[in-house]
Amino acid sequence: MTKTKNSITEVYELALQAAPSGILVVDDAGEIRYTNQTLADMFGYRVEELVDEPVEILIPDQFAAAHRRHMENYARAPRSRDMGTGRDLEGITRDGIKIPLEIGLRPTQTSSGPVVVATVVDITVRKAIEDRLLRHEQELEQLVAERTRELEDAQREKERMLDQLIQAEKMTTVGTLVSGIGHEINNPLYALHAAAEALADETDIECCRAYGRDILKQATRIAETVKNLSRYAQPGTRHDLQPVDLAQVVEEAVRLAHQSLNDEQIEFEITDGRVAEISARFEEIMQLVFNLLRNAIQAIPGQGRIQIVTQQDGNFVSLRIQDNGSGIPREHLKRVFDPFFTTKGPDKGEGLGLYIVRQIIIRYGGEIEVDNVDDGGARFKIRFPVANRVDKPEE
Amino acid sequence: MTHHVLILDDEADVRTAIRLQLKGTRFEILEAENFDQAMKLLQQNAITTDVIICDVRMPGVDGVEAVQNFQREYPNTPVIVLTGFPDVDLAVDFMKKQDVIDYLTKPVDKDKLVEAVEKAAQERRMFG
């Protein structure tokens, strides 16, 4: 009989001693009643050195007082739980080395009073892994933050360069305009000049009046031309978005094209339906339309016609510019918006016009496409979202 | 004898201006707004035309060609070339290549115009 009991006891003993976790039994006075071999090994003691000792022997000084308090609290309302959930627990070995621990507690009754059974696991390895993970996470977050900053910087830089490009292209066009318009201004200026010379020497009052009227007529023409050019050639970029009427832009751009590009033989057919305003920078839209008109004019050898239609398409304002020129070769259709793509000769621009046109349109949330018309010529179709009346964008 | 100056320019303003500026001088103006008109007038007034004033840049017309044609048909009639301000380089180039006698930049002062025309007319008398 005793043998059987001993066998069972032996098994219990073995189980406890050899358990992979440290096992500790502490009484209500805070003294160690029992430890298994695993725990003793963990802390570098012999089992008998730990029995009857206060449990604080295993706790680093800085936590000892707090532990006392926790124990007292626990004694009042004991229940099974993990100790210090969410807290980093530490024990201290006989040699003074601190080890990270995971501790589970269970209260129970013995014949000598209430005790707490604790399981203690050395989580040094696990902790090391966790720490490394945490460090990696932090490094990653930092990298992401840096990358994001770099991306934002790059994006800002791109915006800035696009602005510069648009401005530079505009100035190139201004160069073309100036030659053309120089012509436009010089001729009435000459007539005005000659009339003024004649007026200075004239004595007959009626003749004087006639010269005076001539001078006024020419001066007005010149003023008009200058005004049109100034509107287009505003130096620097203005940053404010305004409500822009596309039909109005078309009207002005056509006028500018007429004056500057010597297109005597080209007929402009404008159809403008009433359209809502878009939110944009006026001179950028002018630049855009003027660019397209100029291309259309250059595509037409001699006589021809350019049709311009503005209309409202639900929440979009659409613009169509169609010429009856030579059209765009099919293999080029896909590439016309590429930067530096040009089919004109080496002295006729670097091929940035359409690229810039498209960039401007994209910036405003619009679309552009091009195709060839059946009976010859190219057609550009552009859409802009209507200005949102609720929030007027301010910059 | 009448002394004519032929002005070829597509711009009415320019022709009017030159007409005004030569008023009261010994020269009378013949106005042409395109090359064909100019040739016709020259045919009719070959003897009396002392000077040809020709705009260097006109739509659809090659100024160089026009001057070459004048010089071929009427080698003894000097040509003065008229240019707007951005064309000065072109005009000077022109002059060197085409043996043009003078160039004027619009807008021209009256006395400069008269002086240039007189000088050209003198050349013609000497070598014509």
Side-chain angles (χ1 to χ4, degrees), chain B residues 36-68:
Chain B
D36 290 332
Q37 255 183 36
M39 285 309 264
K40 224 185 327 238
L41 285 170
L42 274 173
Q43 264 168 23
Q44 294 162 356
N45 301 276
I47 306 181
T48 54
T49 304
D50 283 344
V51 182
I52 299 171
I53 303 179
C54 179
D55 188 339
V56 114
R57 207 200 285 249
M58 292 177 281
V61 172
D62 186 352
V64 178
E65 255 188 59
V67 170
Q68 281 174 340

Side-chain angles (χ1 to χ4, degrees), chain A residues 19-190:
Chain A
S21 306
I23 296 178
L24 190 61
V25 179
V26 178
D27 64 19
D28 56 353
E31 287 176 2
I32 297 174
R33 290 264 62 81
Y34 171 83
T35 93
N36 70 349
Q37 193 60 47
T38 311
L39 186 121
D41 289 344
M42 206 185 284
F43 286 85
Y45 289 100
R46 289 199 313 280
V47 172
E48 47 273 23
E49 284 175 314
L50 291 174
V51 176
D52 288 332
E53 290 297 320
V55 71
E56 278 81 29
I57 194 183
L58 303 173
I59 300 171
D61 285 337
Q62 72 221 82
F63 301 129
H67 182 260
R68 271 267 147 204
R69 270 201 311 278
H70 283 126
M71 262 203 329
E72 278 150 28
N73 285 339
Y74 185 75
R76 272 182 242 129
R79 63 186 196 288
S80 301
R81 63 174 174 85
D82 295 326
M83 193 173 120
T85 328
R87 269 180 279 161
D88 287 345
L89 299 172
E90 277 186 335
I92 190 161
T93 66
R94 188 190 213 196
D95 298 332
I97 300 172
K98 294 202 185 136
I99 43 177
L101 303 171
E102 188 181 286
I103 301 176
L105 302 174
R106 187 179 222 179
T108 191
Q109 280 290 354
T110 65
S111 42
S112 13
V115 297
V116 173
V117 179
T119 50
V120 180
V121 177
D122 179 348
I123 55 170
T124 309
V125 174
R126 195 180 84 196
K127 200 110 205 322
I129 294 176
E130 276 176 12
D131 281 345
R132 216 164 58 220
L133 253 167
L134 189 64
R135 245 200 336 271
H136 274 243
E137 243 176 52
Q138 286 170 342
E139 278 173 17
L140 256 167
E141 273 174 27
Q142 208 179 355
L143 268 171
V144 169
E146 274 173 27
R147 281 285 170 274
T148 309
R149 255 199 314 275
E150 280 174 21
L151 270 170
E152 285 172 354
D153 284 344
Q155 183 62 19
R156 260 197 300 274
E157 182 66 19
K158 183 178 157 205
E159 284 292 314
R160 203 176 57 83
M161 285 186 59
L162 186 58
D163 276 342
Q164 281 185 345
L165 208 58
I166 290 176
Q167 188 57 20
E169 202 276 340
K170 190 163 82 176
M171 285 302 132
T172 311
T173 313
V174 167
T176 315
L177 283 182
V178 166
S179 324
I181 287 198
H183 183 261
E184 277 299 306
I185 291 180
N186 248 348
N187 291 328
L189 190 59
Y190 191 11

